[in-house]
Amino acid sequence: MTNLKKVFLNGIFQENPVLIIMIGLCSVLAVSVTTVNALGMWAAYSFVLIGSELTISAIRNSIPKTIRIPIFIIAIATFTTIVQLIVKAYSPSLDKSLGIFIPLIVVNCIIIGRVEAFSSRNNV
């Protein structure tokens, strides 16, 4: 349990992609005009990140090395599509505010980098 706490706190403070590494800053700044938009994008990113990392961690040993990046992108795209459909269905105003930035989660280097650096090397 201590290891999980250490990984969690490390991701927030020492390896925070937006605040420390400055990756994906453009999309964060673009939608953080209001608190609702910022929280909506945070929830979308969190869902996609957690879902894709759990999926890749679970199947990491069966992914061939030659096609691992396309598999990562497919997993990320699946969770991004789920988020986009949920936001469209339950919060059309948030969907209008976030616009193209929800589909851009698929190619955002924060998600791909975390999946490559962490999930592909660790268990669920």
Side-chain angles (χ1 to χ4, degrees), residues 4-103:
L4 289 175
K5 184 178 177 182
K6 181 181 175 185
V7 168
F8 180 75
L9 293 175
N10 191 26
I12 291 175
F13 297 112
Q14 293 178 339
E15 294 179 13
N16 186 313
V18 176
L19 299 177
I20 305 301
I21 305 172
M22 300 296 194
I23 297 174
L25 196 58
C26 297
S27 57
V28 172
L29 289 176
V31 298
S32 298
V33 182
T34 66
T35 305
V36 173
N37 289 356
L39 290 174
M41 189 55 107
W42 168 80
Y45 263 87
S46 297
F47 179 79
V48 172
L49 183 64
I50 292 167
S52 60
E53 286 204 12
L54 288 173
T55 301
I56 296 302
S57 291
I59 63 171
R60 70 185 175 89
N61 293 328
S62 61
I63 299 173
K65 298 284 184 200
T66 55
I67 60 167
R68 74 176 194 278
I69 299 297
I71 298 294
F72 295 167
I73 293 173
I74 289 170
I76 295 166
T78 301
F79 287 101
T80 302
T81 303
I82 292 168
V83 163
Q84 186 174 20
L85 292 173
I86 290 171
V87 170
K88 279 186 185 292
Y90 292 106
S91 184
S93 62
L94 183 62
D95 179 56
K96 188 176 180 181
S97 298
L98 297 180
I100 190 68
F101 292 103
I102 290 179

